[in-house]
């Protein structure tokens, strides 16, 4: 005959009604200052993953921080990363067309020191966010943001990982990868007219020369901005493959 004691029933009841771990989903703008100029980034964080979360710096495309970067931020934050989508242009500077995007990105392409200054300031800001581990940081970027990721690589920025999605691959005159410290993942389309395979080859040779720790994934027949949902070059299979590669890379470098 089965006997259930009062103590056992009491314990089972307590477990049944014990409070569950709760989370607050943070997804909001984040204004910060660089040399007294306001910049408006965006953070995503699931507090249910605790108070020591790795940081992912997310760098926007040439049209500035918009809904695309915010959605990618939210996607990554569900996996236990605090994601800081940075602003490299300045608060309120959001290009509305191709001409404006070219103009804003050109300012930083022509002034690499300024680009590096803003990137480093954004990294410093990310380290001050609540609930983060300031010693676990990776940076990812899309298109123009991918170029910015490579700028961090050449600058010898001491991060845990760098990822470029269909970024510009040319090396500015006078720069090299000899100071690269972080593991690098490059995700690229073989039919990219903006950064063709000749540039992929040149970049690979530079990284080999620097004895860099890097991996390269090439998606056959895929054009530029393959991961951007609103782009005519969007490729769903390359999008899924590259996102999976990102998740694996972050799991290896930040966990």
């Amino acid at each position: 005959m089965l006997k259930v004691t009062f103590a056992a029933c009491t314990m089972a009841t307590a477990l049944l009604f014990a409070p569950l771990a709760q989370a607050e989903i943070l997804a909001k703008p984040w204004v910060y200052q660089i040399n007294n100029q306001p910049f408006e980034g965006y953070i995503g964080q699931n507090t249910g993953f605790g108070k020591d979360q790795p940081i992912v710096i997310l760098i926007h495309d040439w049209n500035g921080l918009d809904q695309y970067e915010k959605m990618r931020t939210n996607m990554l934050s569900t996996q236990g990363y605090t994601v800081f989508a940075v602003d490299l242009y300045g608060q309120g500077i959001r290009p509305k067309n191709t001409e404006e995007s070219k103009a804003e990105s050109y300012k930083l392409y022509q002034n690499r020191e300024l680009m590096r200054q803003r990137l480093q300031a954004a990294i410093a800001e990310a380290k001050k966010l609540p609930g983060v581990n300031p010693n676990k940081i990776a940076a990812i970027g899309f298109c123009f943001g991918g170029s910015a990721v490579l700028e961090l690589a050449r600058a010898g920025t001491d991060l845990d990982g760098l990822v470029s999605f269909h970024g510009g691959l040319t090396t500015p005159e006078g720069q090299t990868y000899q100071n690269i410290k972080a593991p690098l993942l490059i995700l690229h389309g073989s039919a990219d007219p903006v950064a063709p395979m000749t540039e992929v080859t040149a970049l690979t040779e530079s990284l080999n020369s620097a004895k860099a720790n890097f991996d390269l994934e090439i998606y056959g027949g895929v054009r530029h901005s393959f991961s951007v949902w609103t782009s005519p070059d969007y490729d769903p299979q390359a999008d899924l493959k590259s996102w999976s590669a990102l998740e694996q890379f972050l799991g290896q470098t930040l966990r």
Side-chain angles (χ1 to χ4, degrees):
M1 181 175 66
L2 178 65
K3 292 185 178 180
V4 181
T5 65
F6 175 75
C9 288
T10 302
M11 182 177 295
T13 302
L15 290 172
L16 180 63
F17 292 101
L20 300 175
Q22 294 183 341
E24 180 184 4
I25 308 301
L26 301 179
K28 62 182 182 181
W30 190 269
V31 178
Y32 58 107
Q33 301 281 324
I34 304 177
N35 293 333
N36 297 318
Q37 178 184 349
F39 290 75
E40 185 175 320
Y42 179 85
I43 61 170
Q45 184 185 73
N46 181 346
T47 62
F49 283 93
K51 298 181 179 180
D52 195 33
Q53 297 185 21
I55 301 167
V56 177
I57 302 290
L58 190 150
I59 308 171
H60 56 75
D61 197 349
W62 72 341
N63 60 342
L65 177 56
D66 63 12
Q67 281 303 119
Y68 176 75
E69 285 82 15
K70 292 177 182 179
M71 285 297 297
R72 291 295 189 185
T73 295
N74 296 341
M75 288 169 65
L76 272 180
S77 68
T78 65
Q79 299 180 36
Y81 304 106
T82 292
V83 187
F84 183 36
V86 306
D87 173 17
L88 293 188
Y89 291 163
Q91 188 177 34
I93 302 175
R94 299 294 185 264
K96 299 179 179 62
N97 51 51
T98 299
E99 288 71 26
E100 292 182 5
S101 296
K102 284 181 179 179
E104 289 303 322
S105 60
Y106 183 78
K107 292 176 184 177
L108 295 179
Y109 279 136
Q110 291 300 111
N111 189 341
R112 297 289 176 150
E113 195 58 41
L114 179 61
M115 180 189 287
R116 292 187 182 192
Q117 180 188 51
R118 291 182 179 181
L119 287 167
Q120 296 293 348
I123 292 170
E125 184 69 20
K127 291 181 178 181
K128 297 185 292 185
L129 295 174
V132 302
N133 181 346
N135 299 313
K136 283 287 186 180
I137 308 178
I140 72 173
F142 301 85
C143 298
F144 165 78
S147 301
V149 161
L150 295 182
E151 193 68 35
L152 286 172
R154 292 188 296 271
T157 308
D158 192 9
L159 299 179
D160 294 285
L162 298 167
V163 185
S164 169
F165 285 81
H166 42 79
L169 304 181
T170 57
T171 302
E173 185 176 355
Q175 291 194 22
T176 71
Y177 284 90
Q178 294 303 315
N179 294 324
I180 186 171
K181 293 185 176 69
L184 173 64
L185 175 62
I186 302 161
L187 306 167
H188 210 74
S190 71
D192 188 335
V194 178
M197 290 301 294
T198 52
E199 293 185 6
V200 174
T201 301
L203 174 61
T204 301
E205 291 174 352
S206 295
L207 292 169
N208 283 338
S209 175
K211 297 184 178 0
N213 177 3
F214 76 101
D215 286 300
L216 176 65
E217 284 199 10
I218 299 295
Y219 307 114
V222 172
R223 292 174 58 82
H224 190 64
S225 61
F226 59 79
S227 75
V228 180
W229 304 312
T230 57
S231 169
D233 288 342
Y234 177 71
D235 187 290
Q237 292 305 313
D239 182 16
L240 291 175
K241 290 176 183 177
S242 61
W243 194 254
S244 178
L246 168 68
E247 291 174 330
Q248 182 178 1
F249 181 82
L250 294 179
Q252 293 170 344
T253 56
L254 292 182
R255 298 300 188 185

